[in-house]
Amino acid sequence: MRIILTYGTFDLFHVGHIRLLKRLSELGDKLIVGVSTDEFNLKKGKKSFFSYAERSEIVQSCRYVDQVIPERDWEQKRNDILECNVDVFAMGDDWVGTFDSLKDICDVVYLERTENISTTDIKSKLAKINKSELDKIELHLHDLIDIVKTLSDN
């Protein structure tokens, strides 16, 4: 059995995450995903929208993922590889070279990221939406609901 291991925060789960996990799963027979804990994210200077428990549940529900483990610190990777009998450690290509020191115990692969989508970009776009724009969206949604109700009554 060929075991693949990757890590990430996986906040605001999106199609880029799904495509990455699919490609990772195609590298072997079992995909293990380390999801960064809230405490570890704080150490990295990150704050997730969803909690660790929620992000883990979301990632675990992806059909390409066989197991989720908590990522608590940078140093655990070597130990996780050995404990889980990992054959391939894989990350996005924004990490190229960072984990080459693990090549003595497994293959290390860096996969290309999905173009034009990232959690950072999504958060940036969401932050630009102001209250008046949200009020307009809500008004349009109510109008749409009224239309749907009218059509269903006929």
Side-chain angles (χ1 to χ4, degrees):
M1 176 182 292
R2 190 165 163 85
I3 300 173
I4 314 305
L5 174 65
T6 193
Y7 294 88
T9 300
F10 296 98
D11 198 18
L12 302 182
F13 200 72
H14 53 72
V15 70
H17 291 134
I18 292 168
R19 290 175 184 166
L20 176 66
L21 294 171
K22 180 179 189 285
R23 289 183 306 167
L24 289 168
S25 72
E26 292 168 350
L27 296 176
D29 305 301
K30 179 179 180 180
L31 175 58
I32 302 171
V33 179
V35 175
S36 300
T37 62
D38 297 329
E39 296 79 14
F40 184 43
N41 277 339
L42 287 176
K43 289 179 192 175
K44 295 188 286 185
K46 287 184 171 186
K47 173 115 176 71
S48 295
F49 183 82
F50 292 107
S51 71
Y52 166 76
E54 292 166 322
R55 290 180 288 112
S56 293
E57 185 175 338
I58 291 166
V59 172
Q60 183 64 62
S61 71
C62 180
R63 69 179 177 185
Y64 305 114
V65 176
D66 298 294
Q67 181 181 352
V68 170
I69 61 173
E71 180 187 27
R72 294 186 174 94
D73 59 60
W74 294 111
E75 293 75 32
Q76 79 182 67
K77 290 169 180 58
R78 180 170 289 276
N79 191 50
D80 288 347
I81 290 167
L82 295 171
E83 280 187 14
C84 298
N85 298 310
V86 170
D87 299 290
V88 178
F89 175 84
M91 295 292 286
D93 64 0
D94 49 331
W95 291 97
V96 168
T98 306
F99 300 106
D100 288 353
S101 63
L102 300 172
K103 287 182 177 181
D104 63 323
I105 55 173
C106 68
D107 292 334
V108 176
V109 175
Y110 301 98
L111 295 179
E112 205 173 297
R113 293 174 60 98
T114 303
E115 285 188 39
N116 302 320
I117 188 161
S118 75
T119 303
T120 303
D121 290 344
I122 293 170
K123 285 182 176 181
S124 176
K125 288 175 185 172
L126 289 172
K128 291 178 183 174
I129 298 174
N130 63 37
K131 174 133 176 53
S132 72
E133 289 172 335
L134 288 174
D135 290 342
K136 286 178 190 174
I137 292 169
E138 184 179 8
L139 180 64
H140 292 302
L141 286 174
H142 287 294
D143 290 343
L144 183 60
I145 290 169
D146 289 341
I147 292 168
V148 170
K149 283 180 182 177
T150 303
L151 290 173
S152 15
D153 289 342
N154 290 335

